[in-house]
Structure formats: C-alpha cells, structure tokens
Amino acid sequence: MNLNKARRVLVNIICGFIPGKARRKQVRAYLNSDIWRYKRFIRHDLGVALYNVHIKYGYGTKNIIILVNNKWAYKFPVGNMNINALANRELRIVKAMKAISPIHIPDMQIVDMGGVCVRKYEYIAGKTFGELKRNEILENWDNFSDKIAEFMYVIAKSAPDEIADLVPDNAKPRAIMNGWCHTDICGNFIVDSNTMQIISVIDWEDFKYGDFSKIFTSSLDLGTDFMQMVRTKYLNLCDRDKK
C-alpha cells in the first residue's frame, strides 16, 4: 500500500468517528489535502510572510479556500475533475462581467502550481447572506432584494462578446428568465458589516446561460423567501422595460 492509499484509509477511519455528514466532508478534505504545501505555495507567490490565515470550504467541499493577510483568497481544488478548464472558464467570465455587473466582482488571477490552476481572488471583507443574523436580513430586506434584482436583470440581458462561445448551441431566444445568470446568488453576495450594503458578488464558477426560472430557492434561513422577493422585483424590472 502506497503512502497516499494509506493516508486515505487512515482518514476514513478517523472520519468514521465524526458526527454530521457536512463536518465529515470538511475534515476529510482537510486531512486529504496538503495544507502545508498550499501555505508554502502562497508564501512563495506573495513573497511575504503570512498572517491572519483562515481556511474555508467551497460548496460540497469541492475546494479548499485559504484567506490570507486580509487581501487574498486562494482556491485549491479537491479532486481532479476538469480543474484547469473550470478555472480558465471562470477567469473568462469574471473578466467579461466586471465591466457589466452593477455590483463589484473581485479581481481574479490564475497561478500555476505544478500544472494545477490555483485561483487567486481579491479578498472582500464582509458577510455572506448565510452569515448574517436574522434581524440583519429582515431590517435590510428591501435594500438587499432591490440590489440583487437589478444585478440579475442587468446580467441576464447582457451579451458580452468575450464569452459568446459559452452560450449553448441549443439556447432559446432571449426572454424573461432566460439569459446569463449567477446560479447561486443568495449564498455569494457579500455585505459590508458596518454599512449593511451589498459590496460584492463572488464565486462565478457555475455561471451559465439559459433558463434560470428555477433558481429562486435556497437552503439558507430566509433564503427562499428572500429569493422570491428578488424574483418579484426582477419581473417588475422586466415589465418596466416593456413600457
């Protein structure tokens, strides 16, 4: 048995004692990943000492995200499924949408780590919807939903030439709830903790073109109610455009 297989066996044994599926996935991803190698890589890339380092996990633990020095977020992939293709696709999308989006999109770079594309983002300090307190959401409900509805409206009707080749060949003609869409908006907009204003939208990996009428739900507390409000305001913007 080689070292990698032995490591996986040991990790599986350890994780067998950890309650909760989500927590087990996080611990498994952490133990199966070479965190110290990642930190050495970041130190070499930045050329400075690392401080205030935090480790987070991407959706479904597809990525390990290391936040560094309050300036950068590095995304290291877990697994080997089309890693580089996904990273390069996201970079193209971010570059195309930065000029269009009414909400700030963090800068993104790709850094090579021995043939693996590591995504490096501008770090945006704040809270995601899921990190907000219930009262913070309710007190800013209208403002948040106004901004997200406008964001969806502007993005959906855009047609950037830089990513025109990513539109599916069988795509239907542009219509209401059909076009470019960030498919996980509720979990990925960032709110300034002091001003309670939306300051950024992150994670463009699953951005796509097509029918997005079924995205208005969320597993987050108040998420589905919020997204239904966004849906109503988005449709109002579409109606206004017809007049």
Side-chain angles (χ1 to χ4, degrees):
M1 183 182 294
N2 63 36
L3 288 176
N4 284 334
K5 286 185 178 179
R7 179 180 186 172
R8 286 196 293 271
V9 169
L10 180 59
V11 167
N12 286 336
I13 292 172
I14 293 171
C15 289
F17 293 96
I18 298 173
K21 183 178 179 180
R23 184 57 180 163
R24 281 197 301 273
K25 290 180 74 172
Q26 289 184 352
V27 172
R28 182 175 285 112
Y30 183 90
L31 293 177
N32 279 328
S33 300
D34 195 343
I35 301 296
W36 292 109
R37 178 192 176 205
Y38 296 167
K39 289 182 179 180
R40 288 195 300 271
F41 173 79
I42 295 171
R43 189 181 301 112
H44 175 76
D45 180 58
L46 294 178
V48 296
L50 306 187
Y51 61 88
N52 201 17
V53 176
H54 298 281
I55 297 173
K56 299 182 73 174
Y57 302 89
Y59 175 74
T61 321
K62 292 190 296 185
N63 304 285
I64 286 182
I65 302 164
I66 302 183
L67 309 178
V68 183
N69 296 7
N70 295 324
K71 290 184 178 180
W72 303 104
Y74 286 78
K75 183 184 284 186
F76 295 88
V78 174
N80 298 302
M81 293 293 290
N82 302 317
I83 292 167
N84 292 353
L86 284 171
N88 282 288
R89 180 182 183 275
E90 184 179 7
L91 180 61
R92 290 182 61 199
I93 289 165
V94 165
K95 286 182 175 179
M97 286 295 151
K98 278 183 72 68
I100 296 169
S101 173
I103 301 175
H104 175 70
I105 301 173
D107 290 332
M108 175 187 171
Q109 305 170 37
I110 289 178
V111 190
D112 178 72
M113 185 181 71
V116 175
C117 289
V118 174
R119 284 169 265 190
K120 177 182 177 183
Y121 306 89
E122 167 196 8
Y123 172 65
I124 304 296
K127 295 181 179 179
T128 64
F129 187 96
E131 294 169 328
L132 292 170
K133 296 177 182 177
R134 190 180 181 88
N135 68 296
E136 291 176 325
I137 295 172
L138 294 174
E139 288 170 5
N140 295 280
W141 190 269
D142 283 337
N143 180 39
F144 290 167
S145 54
D146 283 346
K147 291 291 191 299
I148 296 302
E150 179 194 13
F151 165 82
M152 285 189 60
Y153 175 74
V154 171
I155 293 296
K157 70 177 186 176
S158 69
D161 292 336
E162 300 94 324
I163 55 173
D165 60 301
L166 299 182
V167 176
D169 292 336
N170 62 348
K172 296 179 181 179
R174 189 178 302 279
I176 293 175
M177 294 198 188
N178 186 282
W180 287 113
C181 181
H182 188 301
T183 58
D184 188 17
I185 303 167
C186 195
N188 287 296
F189 65 82
I190 305 295
V191 175
D192 184 296
S193 301
N194 296 316
T195 65
M196 283 292 117
Q197 297 297 311
I198 295 175
I199 54 174
S200 189
V201 177
I202 62 172
D203 197 353
W204 292 75
E205 182 176 305
D206 295 324
F207 182 76
K208 65 180 182 180
Y209 186 99
D211 177 4
F212 54 85
S213 59
K214 294 183 172 60
I215 72 161
F216 297 95
T217 60
S218 173
S219 60
L220 299 172
D221 182 33
L222 294 177
T224 294
D225 290 341
F226 174 76
M227 289 304 294
Q228 287 300 314
M229 176 63 75
V230 169
R231 179 183 183 276
T232 298
K233 291 185 175 182
Y234 167 80
L235 291 175
N236 288 341
L237 289 171
C238 294
D239 289 341
R240 186 194 66 184
D241 207 27
K242 294 177 183 178
K243 297 176 182 179

